[in-house]
Amino acid sequence: MNYFIKQEKIRFQHIDYAGIVFYPRFLEMLNGLVEDWFEEALDRPFSKMHQTNGIPTVDLKVQFKKAARLGEILTKKLWVKELKSSSVICGFRFEDENGTTCLEGEVTLVNVKISEDRNSIKAEAFNEEMKQKISKFII
Amino acid sequence: MNYFIKQEKIRFQHIDYAGIVFYPRFLEMLNGLVEDWFEEALDRPFSKMHQTNGIPTVDLKVQFKKAARLGEILTKKLWVKELKSSSVICGFRFEDENGTTCLEGEVTLVNVKISEDRNSIKAEAFNEEMKQKISKFII
Amino acid sequence: MNYFIKQEKIRFQHIDYAGIVFYPRFLEMLNGLVEDWFEEALDRPFSKMHQTNGIPTVDLKVQFKKAARLGEILTKKLWVKELKSSSVICGFRFEDENGTTCLEGEVTLVNVKISEDRNSIKAEAFNEEMKQKISKFII
Amino acid sequence: MNYFIKQEKIRFQHIDYAGIVFYPRFLEMLNGLVEDWFEEALDRPFSKMHQTNGIPTVDLKVQFKKAARLGEILTKKLWVKELKSSSVICGFRFEDENGTTCLEGEVTLVNVKISEDRNSIKAEAFNEEMKQKISKFII
């Protein structure tokens, strides 16, 4: 019943000619939020998980509501909207220092197994331990 | 009544540890598709347009259906689903060499004016010429 | 007579198919180090500086000595090798958690003024205050 | 006795707040040039080569001489300065449409073998066929 929360500062490499974040960079920040959630809250650091598994994004919906500029510190929030057998739908929201929403949306992640030859990928059910840990973020 | 179509090859810089495209890179490819559409079909090359205006993305929905791998050549298609006063909703689909959809979705772009001090951004209606050119891609 | 030091964690977005940092990402990390140095040590945050000025890189030499992998925390060190009228030659070194050098090199930054129409860029001497602040990092 | 030559257009994703290419993007373009050279001239497409091998950059020297702006088409040239047993030193130069050099430098690439568990990397001599193909670009 809680949000997973991290902060990220807008850097020169994130912004475009208009001085605002180039939107694919926001999705790198979202990927970083999922990465931190797996490592810090779900005990599945990407450095171990990615040797045999993956957690690809299969669906993404984002509304970009307010531009973010160089030097701003955004608060990134993630929560769980629905936990299925081998996938999880997460909500997310990035807010500026006044609490105004810069972007929000939802992202569907699928738990996958990568074959030994690394050429095939297939969905795999979350185990009970993961389900319990993920469930703590259902809102 | 036609698609705007470009091709793009999957390069080393696009792929991740699993050997498949890291999804924020797909959105750079989508941005490149919009950029080519503006330059080649709408006569608004970004190099001129971005001196005074912009075309930020305010809404994005994507379904990632099939992983794309290093060396594949994707066909990127863009069309117009709805043209409003100062915004346009575009559909898009990226297909592999067999015609299988890798990703598809819709993106809403807003026509904006950037103030001379470059600190404020506000929506501006498309002019008639742009409306006519954009309309040719309504499907 | 001291280093400017920051840490950065290797993230999923930094690594390539071989599981090691894709080298252009190391240079984004280097740019981030210069950005932090300007903001934290030289009182010239990029968010203000870049409205009228810039600090482009004109020369770069790097030796990549050891691959860095997902999850590693690198220590990034920056110092000044030579301070000229409008440019500065910085040394840098990124070390892993055992103190082993992953990369090292030198980068030359030029202080520039950007014209009001943003179309021309020319070198400008550092003022005395900046010179003093930069000098503290000469090693 | 010839250059390997490709062209690349400066896109919105390459430029920074000053409207010029953010220099780590130039190094992605350099990596793309090496990638095309391997595929088109050396018959070692990255999509096959990277399953068992790699060609990491171990040394890089670049002088950035002229900014490049959105919409410019750069001509990227690569040649071989020295071919060693398991490494090759390449020269490179990116020129704008007037033939003015935007950047130039040299990059050292090492031929490596990646172990089956993908956790270790070691240098491996080029075979005779590769040596012959690479030699054609010695200038």
Side-chain angles (χ1 to χ4, degrees), chain A residues 30-42:
Chain A
L30 175 62
N31 196 72
L33 181 60
V34 169
E35 188 173 351
D36 288 337
W37 183 49
F38 267 69
E39 176 154 351
E40 297 174 20
L42 308 181

PDB file of all heavy atoms in Angstrom, chain A residues 30-42:
ATOM      1  N   LEU A  30      12.221   6.412 -16.585  1.00  0.00           N
ATOM      2  CA  LEU A  30      11.213   5.442 -16.134  1.00  0.00           C
ATOM      3  C   LEU A  30      11.855   4.061 -16.016  1.00  0.00           C
ATOM      4  O   LEU A  30      11.635   3.345 -15.035  1.00  0.00           O
ATOM      5  CB  LEU A  30      10.045   5.402 -17.126  1.00  0.00           C
ATOM      6  CG  LEU A  30       8.978   4.342 -16.852  1.00  0.00           C
ATOM      7  CD1 LEU A  30       8.294   4.554 -15.508  1.00  0.00           C
ATOM      8  CD2 LEU A  30       7.936   4.328 -17.980  1.00  0.00           C
ATOM      9  N   ASN A  31      12.671   3.691 -16.990  1.00  0.00           N
ATOM     10  CA  ASN A  31      13.359   2.408 -16.923  1.00  0.00           C
ATOM     11  C   ASN A  31      14.270   2.358 -15.684  1.00  0.00           C
ATOM     12  O   ASN A  31      14.344   1.341 -14.998  1.00  0.00           O
ATOM     13  CB  ASN A  31      14.184   2.172 -18.192  1.00  0.00           C
ATOM     14  CG  ASN A  31      14.585   0.723 -18.339  1.00  0.00           C
ATOM     15  OD1 ASN A  31      13.769  -0.135 -18.639  1.00  0.00           O
ATOM     16  ND2 ASN A  31      15.853   0.427 -18.063  1.00  0.00           N
ATOM     17  N   GLY A  32      14.915   3.469 -15.388  1.00  0.00           N
ATOM     18  CA  GLY A  32      15.758   3.559 -14.196  1.00  0.00           C
ATOM     19  C   GLY A  32      14.948   3.393 -12.913  1.00  0.00           C
ATOM     20  O   GLY A  32      15.420   2.802 -11.936  1.00  0.00           O
ATOM     21  N   LEU A  33      13.719   3.888 -12.928  1.00  0.00           N
ATOM     22  CA  LEU A  33      12.840   3.759 -11.756  1.00  0.00           C
ATOM     23  C   LEU A  33      12.465   2.288 -11.539  1.00  0.00           C
ATOM     24  O   LEU A  33      12.508   1.774 -10.406  1.00  0.00           O
ATOM     25  CB  LEU A  33      11.591   4.621 -11.981  1.00  0.00           C
ATOM     26  CG  LEU A  33      10.552   4.655 -10.860  1.00  0.00           C
ATOM     27  CD1 LEU A  33      11.131   5.194  -9.558  1.00  0.00           C
ATOM     28  CD2 LEU A  33       9.342   5.498 -11.287  1.00  0.00           C
ATOM     29  N   VAL A  34      12.122   1.593 -12.624  1.00  0.00           N
ATOM     30  CA  VAL A  34      11.807   0.158 -12.542  1.00  0.00           C
ATOM     31  C   VAL A  34      13.044  -0.616 -12.066  1.00  0.00           C
ATOM     32  O   VAL A  34      12.958  -1.501 -11.208  1.00  0.00           O
ATOM     33  CB  VAL A  34      11.320  -0.363 -13.918  1.00  0.00           C
ATOM     34  CG1 VAL A  34      11.233  -1.887 -13.932  1.00  0.00           C
ATOM     35  CG2 VAL A  34       9.963   0.257 -14.272  1.00  0.00           C
ATOM     36  N   GLU A  35      14.206  -0.233 -12.596  1.00  0.00           N
ATOM     37  CA  GLU A  35      15.471  -0.878 -12.220  1.00  0.00           C
ATOM     38  C   GLU A  35      15.734  -0.720 -10.710  1.00  0.00           C
ATOM     39  O   GLU A  35      16.100  -1.686 -10.036  1.00  0.00           O
ATOM     40  CB  GLU A  35      16.593  -0.217 -13.039  1.00  0.00           C
ATOM     41  CG  GLU A  35      17.946  -0.865 -12.938  1.00  0.00           C
ATOM     42  CD  GLU A  35      18.932  -0.228 -13.943  1.00  0.00           C
ATOM     43  OE1 GLU A  35      18.513   0.586 -14.812  1.00  0.00           O
ATOM     44  OE2 GLU A  35      20.137  -0.544 -13.855  1.00  0.00           O
ATOM     45  N   ASP A  36      15.532   0.485 -10.193  1.00  0.00           N
ATOM     46  CA  ASP A  36      15.727   0.725  -8.756  1.00  0.00           C
ATOM     47  C   ASP A  36      14.694  -0.039  -7.922  1.00  0.00           C
ATOM     48  O   ASP A  36      15.005  -0.545  -6.841  1.00  0.00           O
ATOM     49  CB  ASP A  36      15.612   2.221  -8.450  1.00  0.00           C
ATOM     50  CG  ASP A  36      16.812   3.005  -8.956  1.00  0.00           C
ATOM     51  OD1 ASP A  36      17.896   2.408  -9.131  1.00  0.00           O
ATOM     52  OD2 ASP A  36      16.677   4.224  -9.183  1.00  0.00           O
ATOM     53  N   TRP A  37      13.465  -0.099  -8.419  1.00  0.00           N
ATOM     54  CA  TRP A  37      12.394  -0.817  -7.707  1.00  0.00           C
ATOM     55  C   TRP A  37      12.763  -2.295  -7.590  1.00  0.00           C
ATOM     56  O   TRP A  37      12.669  -2.879  -6.505  1.00  0.00           O
ATOM     57  CB  TRP A  37      11.077  -0.634  -8.485  1.00  0.00           C
ATOM     58  CG  TRP A  37       9.858  -1.235  -7.874  1.00  0.00           C
ATOM     59  CD1 TRP A  37       9.432  -1.108  -6.575  1.00  0.00           C
ATOM     60  CD2 TRP A  37       8.871  -2.041  -8.548  1.00  0.00           C
ATOM     61  NE1 TRP A  37       8.238  -1.784  -6.421  1.00  0.00           N
ATOM     62  CE2 TRP A  37       7.869  -2.363  -7.601  1.00  0.00           C
ATOM     63  CE3 TRP A  37       8.727  -2.497  -9.853  1.00  0.00           C
ATOM     64  CZ2 TRP A  37       6.747  -3.134  -7.929  1.00  0.00           C
ATOM     65  CZ3 TRP A  37       7.616  -3.261 -10.184  1.00  0.00           C
ATOM     66  CH2 TRP A  37       6.645  -3.575  -9.232  1.00  0.00           C
ATOM     67  N   PHE A  38      13.218  -2.884  -8.689  1.00  0.00           N
ATOM     68  CA  PHE A  38      13.618  -4.293  -8.662  1.00  0.00           C
ATOM     69  C   PHE A  38      14.782  -4.518  -7.694  1.00  0.00           C
ATOM     70  O   PHE A  38      14.778  -5.485  -6.951  1.00  0.00           O
ATOM     71  CB  PHE A  38      13.986  -4.765 -10.081  1.00  0.00           C
ATOM     72  CG  PHE A  38      12.827  -5.388 -10.783  1.00  0.00           C
ATOM     73  CD1 PHE A  38      11.739  -4.626 -11.179  1.00  0.00           C
ATOM     74  CD2 PHE A  38      12.782  -6.761 -11.028  1.00  0.00           C
ATOM     75  CE1 PHE A  38      10.634  -5.203 -11.815  1.00  0.00           C
ATOM     76  CE2 PHE A  38      11.683  -7.355 -11.667  1.00  0.00           C
ATOM     77  CZ  PHE A  38      10.620  -6.565 -12.053  1.00  0.00           C
ATOM     78  N   GLU A  39      15.745  -3.626  -7.698  1.00  0.00           N
ATOM     79  CA  GLU A  39      16.910  -3.826  -6.835  1.00  0.00           C
ATOM     80  C   GLU A  39      16.602  -3.534  -5.364  1.00  0.00           C
ATOM     81  O   GLU A  39      16.961  -4.309  -4.484  1.00  0.00           O
ATOM     82  CB  GLU A  39      18.073  -2.941  -7.301  1.00  0.00           C
ATOM     83  CG  GLU A  39      19.277  -3.040  -6.373  1.00  0.00           C
ATOM     84  CD  GLU A  39      20.582  -2.733  -7.057  1.00  0.00           C
ATOM     85  OE1 GLU A  39      20.613  -2.593  -8.301  1.00  0.00           O
ATOM     86  OE2 GLU A  39      21.598  -2.625  -6.327  1.00  0.00           O
ATOM     87  N   GLU A  40      15.958  -2.411  -5.121  1.00  0.00           N
ATOM     88  CA  GLU A  40      15.820  -1.946  -3.736  1.00  0.00           C
ATOM     89  C   GLU A  40      14.597  -2.510  -3.026  1.00  0.00           C
ATOM     90  O   GLU A  40      14.608  -2.684  -1.806  1.00  0.00           O
ATOM     91  CB  GLU A  40      15.784  -0.412  -3.721  1.00  0.00           C
ATOM     92  CG  GLU A  40      17.095   0.179  -4.246  1.00  0.00           C
ATOM     93  CD  GLU A  40      17.054   1.702  -4.384  1.00  0.00           C
ATOM     94  OE1 GLU A  40      16.195   2.337  -3.749  1.00  0.00           O
ATOM     95  OE2 GLU A  40      17.889   2.237  -5.149  1.00  0.00           O
ATOM     96  N   ALA A  41      13.540  -2.789  -3.768  1.00  0.00           N
ATOM     97  CA  ALA A  41      12.301  -3.217  -3.109  1.00  0.00           C
ATOM     98  C   ALA A  41      11.973  -4.680  -3.365  1.00  0.00           C
ATOM     99  O   ALA A  41      11.333  -5.330  -2.534  1.00  0.00           O
ATOM    100  CB  ALA A  41      11.138  -2.330  -3.556  1.00  0.00           C
ATOM    101  N   LEU A  42      12.383  -5.202  -4.497  1.00  0.00           N
ATOM    102  CA  LEU A  42      12.004  -6.574  -4.853  1.00  0.00           C
ATOM    103  C   LEU A  42      13.177  -7.559  -4.761  1.00  0.00           C
ATOM    104  O   LEU A  42      13.013  -8.755  -5.038  1.00  0.00           O
ATOM    105  CB  LEU A  42      11.414  -6.609  -6.279  1.00  0.00           C
ATOM    106  CG  LEU A  42      10.269  -5.624  -6.578  1.00  0.00           C
ATOM    107  CD1 LEU A  42       9.769  -5.803  -8.012  1.00  0.00           C
ATOM    108  CD2 LEU A  42       9.114  -5.786  -5.598  1.00  0.00           C
TER     109      LEU A  42
END
